[in-house]
Amino acid sequence: TRPRSGTSGSGGTAGGTAVPATETVYVSGYGSNITVFNFDVKTGTLTKRSSVNGGNSPSYLAFAPNLKFAYAVNEADGANSKVVAFSIEPQTGKLTQLNSVVTGGNGAPHLAVHPNGKWVVVAQYNSGQVSVVPIDDNGRVGTAGTPDQGPNGGCENAHQAVFDRSGEHLLVPCLGSQYVIQYKFTNGVLSYNEPATVTVMGGPRHLAFEPRAAELPVAL
């Protein structure tokens, strides 16, 4: 979801901050379309506003920090996995495709936008690789760098990519390898932190940072 213009008729949060009356909800999956809904936070009602072709299975979306751009992976493209860039119309949330680029990996289920909005990182399940894709000032994606296969024999089944709040570190759960890769991230360049991997038995799929301690991730 993404906040949109409009405030509630009464009430608000502590401190006087108005509660948005509506938000924009984006829904995508293994079909070709990304559908944009208006979500009424009072009633829970979803109303379709628009739809756009997102390519071949745009199974995951991520948004630029300025909320002007959105990015989708095309997971079902296999060895031709892509990142597709969209602009976001401020009032309606409508998506307009800007361009797309191949990631260099195979079967991308997840991507994350760097906190500065200048990079998008893609985890690739089938090939186990991590790709870094630059973003220009107009929200378009550029040519992906050489994908990283990961340390210790290579990642098997990269399932997610997560930046910490500083953007200086990237964590990638590797389901088949049963570990999480710890990267340092510097101006679009990946290097391994110490230790390079942390074992998570049972196969980590996703992780999230504990909100009360931004630097403490929890893997699932």
Side-chain angles (χ1 to χ4, degrees), residues 52-177:
V52 65
N53 189 299
N56 194 354
S57 298
S59 58
Y60 198 87
L61 304 174
F63 296 87
N66 61 13
L67 300 180
K68 293 181 179 180
F69 309 108
Y71 301 90
V73 288
N74 277 186
E75 182 172 356
D77 278 332
N80 294 312
S81 290
K82 295 182 181 69
V83 173
V84 186
F86 300 88
S87 63
I88 302 174
E89 203 286 319
Q91 297 303 315
T92 66
K94 180 181 177 180
L95 299 177
T96 299
Q97 187 174 145
L98 298 174
N99 73 326
S100 65
V101 65
V102 294
T103 65
N106 188 328
H110 194 269
L111 78 171
V113 180
H114 190 272
N116 69 13
K118 296 181 179 180
W119 309 93
V120 60
V121 172
V122 185
Q124 280 134 160
Y125 187 86
N126 293 344
S127 61
Q129 297 167 310
V130 179
S131 297
V132 180
V133 178
I135 300 173
D136 69 18
D137 292 341
N138 297 312
R140 294 174 176 268
V141 285
T143 303
T146 301
D148 183 77
Q149 190 64 58
N152 303 334
C155 170
E156 183 179 351
N157 307 135
H159 209 285
Q160 188 192 27
V162 181
F163 285 107
D164 68 357
R165 290 188 180 182
S166 72
E168 296 177 359
H169 304 96
L170 178 75
L171 301 179
V172 176
C174 295
L175 174 63
S177 300

